[in-house]
Amino acid sequence: MKFSDRQSEIIEIVRNKGPITGDEIAEKLGLSRATIRSDLSVLTMINILGARPKFGYFYTGKSILSQLYDDLKKLKLKDYMSLPFSCDQKTSIYDVVVDLFMEDLSSMFITEGGYLTGIVSRKDLIRFMIGDADIKKTPISVIMTRMPNVFYVNENDSVYEAASLIVEKGIDSLPVVEVKSNNNLEVVGRFTKTNVTRLFVDVCDGEII
Amino acid sequence: MKFSDRQSEIIEIVRNKGPITGDEIAEKLGLSRATIRSDLSVLTMINILGARPKFGYFYTGKSILSQLYDDLKKLKLKDYMSLPFSCDQKTSIYDVVVDLFMEDLSSMFITEGGYLTGIVSRKDLIRFMIGDADIKKTPISVIMTRMPNVFYVNENDSVYEAASLIVEKGIDSLPVVEVKSNNNLEVVGRFTKTNVTRLFVDVCDGEII
């Protein structure tokens, strides 16, 4: 259902000021109590507003919203991450650049023997390229951000935690890893600001919760 | 308030299957009707579930959630965009790279006489740098994506529209513009996947709606 502008205003008032009496709501709107009577009836009938004698109107959506936030915070990375791409750390910078273009990636995960040793962003590549070094001969390991300075997540971590980490650390892309023997990290996914942006659109479309 | 696991399960069942009787809910949970009686009382008392005789339990949150999605979709770019950065199109590629690093940007807006003529992403820069051209002598206009091929938005457009455009077109950064005389575009902001990621975290924290 769609609310009228006046109904939306009433919900907003009750959400911020409730519990509040019908007279007080009318006064805030500069209208008479009689004018908003039918709006209040509709809104209480569909349970958006509750009403109790000697208490006033209150907003019933608080617990539903807080449940929504809980639900959003519980979304798991494994359901929203993308496929990982990685290169061995002996790969030349030139070949990494070519791979980034082929797959349209913002970062490449760097491995040795299949396990995570670093990460290279577009920014790292640009920084290197303004120098004079030969990008066909220089291995990627020279410019990568190296473990243990790489931020990573687990597929059972929440999307919320990963997005918070991205914002807090100012990074583009997180490797999603599984811890193997000797604390080696196998890359099983990647999670980026693109994933969050897509998720935001889907939440707005009512497709997630 | 926090729901118990069982209460969350009941809400989930009613949300997906309602209207549904108490007996049917109990059966789905593999519990007796008596066991879930107090949960059902609590959930109806706080208006998350409604109950009608001969109809069953139903989820009252639908209209609240749809209002939430409407609210999310109404958020305006002007309240969430960042400051814009731009360079004149005669600037050398080298100087643009330096500026990108100074301001930690993923894209630079390119102007002539103060009006938008193009945009350059990190990806464009990397593509150029694997060639042999002199980045100190080549003006940025040589490699920029040029109007009318630049996607842009208005500060009164919604965050939802901008995020949808970012996902759909696979871009990093949108200039937020004002249309001036002769259809010249003045850049007044920028909106990126970083803005969306930050907004997503704030929504989860209950700070937006």
Side-chain angles (χ1 to χ4, degrees):
Chain A
M1 71 170 291
K2 287 300 264 182
F3 298 112
S4 70
D5 285 351
R6 191 197 289 157
Q7 287 168 346
S8 292
E9 273 186 272
I10 292 173
I11 294 169
E12 197 59 31
I13 289 170
V14 178
R15 191 153 72 185
N16 295 325
K17 308 282 181 188
I20 181 171
T21 67
D23 288 330
E24 287 168 329
I25 297 170
E27 193 189 327
K28 281 191 184 291
L29 291 169
L31 298 169
S32 74
R33 179 73 176 76
T35 311
I36 63 169
R37 196 180 306 276
S38 70
D39 290 318
L40 288 172
S41 305
V42 169
L43 295 174
T44 46
M45 203 166 60
I46 61 170
N47 280 309
I48 282 231
L49 301 187
R52 264 186 226 130
K54 295 188 186 164
F55 182 71
Y57 292 92
F58 56 95
Y59 181 62
T60 60
K62 280 227 171 84
S63 50
I64 289 171
L65 281 184
S66 84
Q67 198 209 356
L68 173 83
Y69 301 139
D70 281 355
D71 286 354
L72 277 180
K73 285 187 178 181
K74 274 187 216 147
L75 299 177
K76 294 285 183 210
L77 282 178
K78 60 181 165 194
D79 299 320
Y80 296 96
M81 69 190 188
S82 302
L83 286 175
F85 289 92
S86 55
C87 285
D88 188 90
Q89 62 180 15
K90 293 200 184 69
T91 314
S92 75
I93 294 176
Y94 181 85
D95 287 340
V96 171
V97 169
V98 172
D99 276 2
L100 277 184
F101 272 91
M102 299 277 283
E103 306 294 345
D104 195 20
L105 305 170
S106 60
S107 298
M108 178 68 80
F109 305 139
I110 311 299
T111 57
E112 183 179 26
Y115 296 121
L116 187 70
T117 56
I119 184 170
V120 170
S121 67
R122 285 183 189 159
K123 197 172 161 185
D124 296 324
L125 292 170
I126 294 172
R127 186 188 294 119
F128 181 76
M129 288 163 122
I130 57 176
D132 281 328
D134 185 337
I135 66 168
K136 295 197 181 177
K137 289 189 183 141
T138 313
I140 195 70
S141 57
V142 170
I143 65 165
M144 72 187 187
T145 300
R146 197 172 286 275
M147 293 292 292
N149 299 320
V150 177
F151 295 101
Y152 57 87
V153 286
N154 181 282
E155 65 174 7
N156 287 314
D157 291 340
S158 68
V159 167
Y160 169 74
E161 288 167 303
S164 303
L165 193 62
I166 286 174
V167 170
E168 193 185 315
K169 304 298 178 188
I171 47 184
D172 289 327
S173 184
L174 282 168
V176 184
V177 305
E178 268 175 28
V179 182
K180 299 292 182 182
S181 58
N182 298 323
N183 285 323
N184 285 323
L185 302 176
E186 185 180 318
V187 184
V188 297
R190 84 196 139 92
F191 190 74
T192 69
K193 290 188 270 199
T194 305
N195 297 95
V196 183
T197 304
R198 196 175 294 131
L199 178 62
F200 177 82
V201 171
D202 289 346
V203 168
C204 289
D205 285 336
E207 286 171 11
I208 303 295
I209 306 288
Chain B
M1 71 171 291
K2 286 301 265 180
F3 297 111
S4 70
D5 287 349
R6 192 197 288 159
Q7 287 169 345
S8 293
E9 272 186 89
I10 292 173
I11 294 169
E12 196 60 30
I13 289 170
V14 178
R15 191 152 71 184
N16 294 325
K17 307 283 181 188
I20 182 170
T21 68
D23 288 330
E24 287 168 329
I25 297 170
E27 193 188 326
K28 281 189 184 295
L29 291 169
L31 298 169
S32 74
R33 178 77 175 73
T35 311
I36 63 169
R37 196 180 308 276
S38 69
D39 291 318
L40 288 172
S41 305
V42 169
L43 294 174
T44 47
M45 204 166 62
I46 61 170
N47 281 309
I48 283 230
L49 302 187
R52 266 186 227 129
K54 294 187 187 166
F55 181 73
Y57 292 92
F58 56 95
Y59 181 64
T60 61
K62 281 227 170 82
S63 49
I64 290 171
L65 281 184
S66 83
Q67 198 209 355
L68 172 83
Y69 300 139
D70 281 355
D71 287 354
L72 277 180
K73 285 187 177 182
K74 274 186 216 148
L75 300 177
K76 295 284 184 211
L77 282 177
K78 61 182 166 195
D79 299 320
Y80 297 96
M81 69 189 189
S82 301
L83 286 176
F85 289 93
S86 54
C87 285
D88 187 89
Q89 61 179 16
K90 293 200 184 66
T91 314
S92 75
I93 294 176
Y94 181 84
D95 287 340
V96 171
V97 168
V98 171
D99 277 2
L100 277 185
F101 272 90
M102 299 278 282
E103 305 294 346
D104 195 20
L105 304 170
S106 60
S107 300
M108 179 67 81
F109 305 141
I110 312 300
T111 57
E112 184 180 25
Y115 295 122
L116 187 70
T117 56
I119 184 171
V120 170
S121 68
R122 284 184 189 159
K123 198 173 159 182
D124 296 324
L125 293 170
I126 294 172
R127 187 189 294 119
F128 180 76
M129 287 164 125
I130 57 176
D132 281 331
D134 185 337
I135 66 169
K136 295 197 179 176
K137 289 188 182 145
T138 313
I140 195 72
S141 58
V142 170
I143 64 164
M144 71 186 186
T145 300
R146 198 173 283 277
M147 293 292 291
N149 299 319
V150 178
F151 296 101
Y152 57 86
V153 286
N154 181 282
E155 66 175 7
N156 286 313
D157 291 339
S158 68
V159 167
Y160 169 73
E161 289 167 302
S164 302
L165 193 62
I166 286 173
V167 170
E168 194 185 316
K169 305 297 180 189
I171 48 184
D172 288 328
S173 184
L174 282 168
V176 184
V177 306
E178 266 176 30
V179 182
K180 299 292 183 181
S181 58
N182 298 323
N183 285 323
N184 284 322
L185 302 177
E186 184 180 318
V187 184
V188 296
R190 83 195 139 92
F191 190 75
T192 69
K193 291 188 269 198
T194 305
N195 296 96
V196 183
T197 304
R198 195 175 295 129
L199 178 60
F200 176 81
V201 172
D202 289 346
V203 168
C204 289
D205 285 337
E207 286 171 11
I208 303 293
I209 307 285

